[in-house]
Amino acid sequence: MSYSVGVSHKGRIEELTINETTTLDQLRAEIAEVFGVEPHNQRLLYRGALSDNAATVKSLIPNGGKIVLVGATTQEYNTLQANVERRQKGQANYAKYKATSASVYRTPVVSSEFGFGVLDPLLQLPQQHKAMEVLRRLANDVGVREVMRKHEYRVGVLRELHPNERAILGYNRNRGQVIALRLRTDDLEGFRDYLGVRQVLMHELAHMVWDKHDDNFHRLNRQHCGEVVELDWTRRGRTVGATKVYEPPTAVQAGEVDGGSLGAGGFVLGGQAPQESLSRDLAYQAWLRRSGKQKQHDN
């Protein structure tokens, strides 16, 4: 007497005709021929998993019953294995490239493990795309990235400093939670010199280790300012006579940069800090009113 069982696999349904003595193990063999899923990769479900391979199908499933087949086909497994092997080969080639580039070609490999998480320009100001370009340039600057890799610095947010925070050029909140930099000129008509902004960034990175502007801080700041130039391998072999070399600020000037590092609660160690609790939009509108630029901005 003929006996039929429906098998469903990934939207495909097939009706298989068997006899009353066919075992579950024999059914698996037939399923492998039809669906291309090897028996050891098959998971058969009918009101739960079917696992007694010696039992007859008739004792497990009623005539005309439908079972669900879960499992990857042989072709899918082969494709997966090929992808794994290709990925492993790529990783091996990359490791070989890093070894040869560092030892033979002397071209450092910049690690993405250290750097900036989020770039945050002021979207309510004009030319926000230009501000984002400056932030991206800083984040991708080889010298900056090498400094961060060497010292294992990780910064959550690299932010554009709000224009109403005129007393400072930047700040570092909670040793790398947020670093903010003044990107625009005071009249908001243009952007500050890139190397000058990068110098302020080196100052703020020194606050990753030291909060106050003491001798330890200035020593590390000087080290950063030298390394950001020396570690920029893209400029090796070029003429250095025409390149500007920026000196870190003096002890007096350092306080004018940021007044000191910001703690977790937003309090300043050694100076005044911006009030981040204020909404950026509200602060900006207040600044526009104070500076007399409200009408010009509205136009």
Side-chain angles (χ1 to χ4, degrees):
M1 179 178 177
S2 63
Y3 193 85
S4 66
V5 175
V7 180
S8 173
H9 182 248
K10 298 182 178 180
R12 175 187 173 188
I13 301 176
E14 298 289 345
E15 194 81 15
L16 304 183
T17 301
I18 57 179
N19 58 54
E20 295 182 349
T21 61
T22 301
T23 64
L24 184 62
D25 192 51
Q26 292 171 331
L27 177 62
R28 288 184 186 275
E30 187 169 347
I31 289 176
E33 293 183 5
V34 175
F35 289 92
V37 180
E38 293 299 321
H40 62 275
N41 291 328
Q42 295 175 13
R43 179 175 172 81
L44 303 179
L45 304 176
Y46 179 80
R47 297 179 181 177
L50 301 176
S51 58
D52 188 358
N53 290 328
T56 63
V57 177
K58 182 179 179 181
S59 67
L60 301 173
I61 308 167
N63 187 18
K66 182 189 294 184
I67 63 177
V68 176
L69 166 64
V70 179
T73 65
T74 301
Q75 181 179 358
E76 290 172 336
Y77 268 106
N78 291 340
T79 300
L80 176 62
Q81 183 62 30
N83 290 338
V84 171
E85 292 176 356
R86 183 163 54 250
R87 188 179 300 110
Q88 291 174 341
K89 183 178 179 180
Q91 291 172 344
N93 289 339
Y94 181 63
K96 181 179 179 181
Y97 161 74
K98 287 201 299 183
T100 56
S101 64
S103 61
V104 179
Y105 302 104
R106 299 299 179 188
T107 303
V109 177
V110 179
S111 171
S112 60
E113 181 181 0
F114 308 106
F116 303 97
V118 177
L119 305 181
D120 185 22
L122 289 169
L123 299 181
Q124 69 268 39
L125 294 183
Q127 300 188 73
Q128 61 264 34
H129 65 283
K130 176 65 175 178
M132 176 60 86
E133 288 177 5
V134 176
L135 294 177
R136 283 201 185 106
R137 183 179 177 186
L138 288 167
N140 294 317
D141 188 301
V142 175
V144 173
R145 293 170 65 180
E146 282 297 299
V147 168
M148 299 187 75
R149 181 189 64 81
K150 178 178 179 180
H151 297 275
E152 300 185 356
Y153 292 152
R154 298 179 181 86
V155 175
V157 180
L158 181 61
R159 172 174 296 167
E160 179 183 1
L161 187 67
H162 203 280
N164 73 322
E165 295 159 358
R166 287 190 169 189
I168 57 176
L169 297 177
Y171 65 82
N172 183 333
R173 172 178 288 279
N174 200 21
R175 293 193 176 185
Q177 181 181 10
V178 177
I179 285 183
L181 303 172
R182 180 180 296 280
L183 305 182
R184 302 171 189 263
T185 54
D186 291 341
D187 59 7
L188 300 182
E189 299 297 326
F191 288 80
R192 294 178 177 272
D193 177 72
Y194 173 77
L195 293 180
V197 175
R198 189 178 71 172
Q199 181 191 14
V200 176
L201 176 57
M202 293 301 102
H203 176 108
E204 301 308 335
L205 287 178
H207 282 307
M208 299 290 288
V209 181
W210 305 106
D211 293 325
K212 296 183 179 181
H213 293 139
D214 56 14
D215 291 341
N216 291 322
F217 171 86
H218 293 300
R219 188 179 304 110
L220 182 57
N221 189 21
R222 287 192 297 270
Q223 181 179 347
H224 286 168
C225 290
E227 289 172 343
V228 75
V229 177
E230 297 167 1
L231 297 178
D232 185 353
W233 53 267
T234 63
R235 295 185 175 275
R236 292 177 187 169
R238 300 184 184 181
T239 303
V240 298
T243 302
K244 289 184 178 180
V245 177
Y246 283 82
E247 293 292 336
T250 64
V252 175
Q253 294 170 331
E256 299 174 356
V257 174
D258 61 5
S261 175
L262 283 171
F267 298 101
V268 179
L269 303 176
Q272 297 297 319
Q275 298 181 14
E276 281 197 323
S277 59
L278 293 176
S279 162
R280 278 187 166 188
D281 290 339
L282 293 176
Y284 175 56
Q285 294 300 326
W287 176 83
L288 286 175
R289 289 192 296 271
R290 289 197 303 272
S291 62
K293 290 182 178 286
Q294 181 69 59
K295 184 176 181 181
Q296 177 182 348
H297 177 73
D298 294 339
N299 295 334

